[in-house]
Amino acid sequence: MFDPVFQYCLLGSFALLFALSAAEKFGDRVAFRDLLRNYRILPTPLVPLTAVLVPMIEIATATLLVTTANIYGVTIGLVLMMGYALAIWINLLRGRTHIDCGCLGSRKEGISYLHVVRNLCLALILSTCLLTPLERQLIWLDYFVVTAFIATSMLIFSSFSHLLTGYMDQRSWWT
């Protein structure tokens, strides 16, 4: 049992993460389709359909996370995060470290096991939203805390992504 503010913080942060990810994919549909094709996991005829469905599912997930049906959003979000981790892991096993991860804000830096670990950690954090929070009346300060948490979590995610990009750029520079 935990405070509902913590659950709202996580749900809001993940909703924003999935919404931004979908917006990036919708923003450059051709690049996302090429990225899916480059992963070489899906049969070629399914790539265009999947390139449309994935951002739509991310938008649906983001929407569900901020509604009373958030358990469905959490479940779909977990499937997405685990699917992303699995796709990266499969390509790492194939030795294909040069491909773009397709992550939010990626700059074609390649993939590593850190991408898999990041997605698994995010899935683990999201799974805590399946726990039942304590029931209590929210006060005005709770809404401020949720907003501040969401902003801070996006800054942390962005910082970690930039560090990971720097690491991958440095790794490719030396090889």
Side-chain angles (χ1 to χ4, degrees), residues 11 13-27 32 35-36 50-66 72-74 76-84 101-105 119 126 157:
L11 290 171
S13 295
F14 278 97
L16 183 59
L17 180 71
F18 283 117
L20 291 173
S21 179
E24 187 175 277
K25 290 174 178 80
F26 275 131
F32 182 60
L35 179 119
L36 282 176
T50 305
V52 172
L53 286 179
V54 169
M56 291 174 67
I57 292 169
E58 288 180 336
I59 287 292
T61 302
T63 304
L64 287 168
L65 286 172
V66 295
Y72 300 111
V74 171
I76 297 168
L78 288 171
V79 170
L80 286 171
M81 298 304 287
M82 299 300 284
Y84 300 153
C101 72
C103 307
L104 179 63
N119 284 342
L126 181 60
F157 179 83

Side-chain angles (χ1 to χ4, degrees), residues 82-126:
M82 299 300 284
Y84 300 153
L86 180 62
I88 294 169
W89 183 64
I90 288 170
N91 277 281
L92 288 170
L93 291 177
R94 293 175 178 167
R96 303 184 73 239
T97 60
H98 65 283
I99 63 175
D100 182 18
C101 72
C103 307
L104 179 63
S106 69
R107 297 185 314 195
K108 299 175 184 20
E109 70 271 5
I111 58 173
S112 76
Y113 285 100
L114 292 174
H115 289 93
V116 176
V117 170
R118 178 183 65 183
N119 284 342
L120 293 177
C121 287
L122 287 171
L124 181 64
I125 293 168
L126 181 60

Side-chain angles (χ1 to χ4, degrees), residues 107-167:
R107 297 185 314 195
K108 299 175 184 20
E109 70 271 5
I111 58 173
S112 76
Y113 285 100
L114 292 174
H115 289 93
V116 176
V117 170
R118 178 183 65 183
N119 284 342
L120 293 177
C121 287
L122 287 171
L124 181 64
I125 293 168
L126 181 60
S127 71
T128 62
C129 292
L130 296 173
L131 301 173
T132 306
L134 296 170
E135 295 211 14
R136 73 169 181 84
Q137 185 72 27
L138 296 179
I139 61 172
W140 69 269
L141 185 59
D142 293 332
Y143 298 104
F144 174 76
V145 169
V146 170
T147 304
F149 183 93
I150 292 169
T152 304
S153 66
M154 286 299 107
L155 288 173
I156 290 170
F157 179 83
S158 178
S159 298
F160 183 77
S161 293
H162 285 295
L163 287 171
L164 187 55
T165 300
Y167 167 76

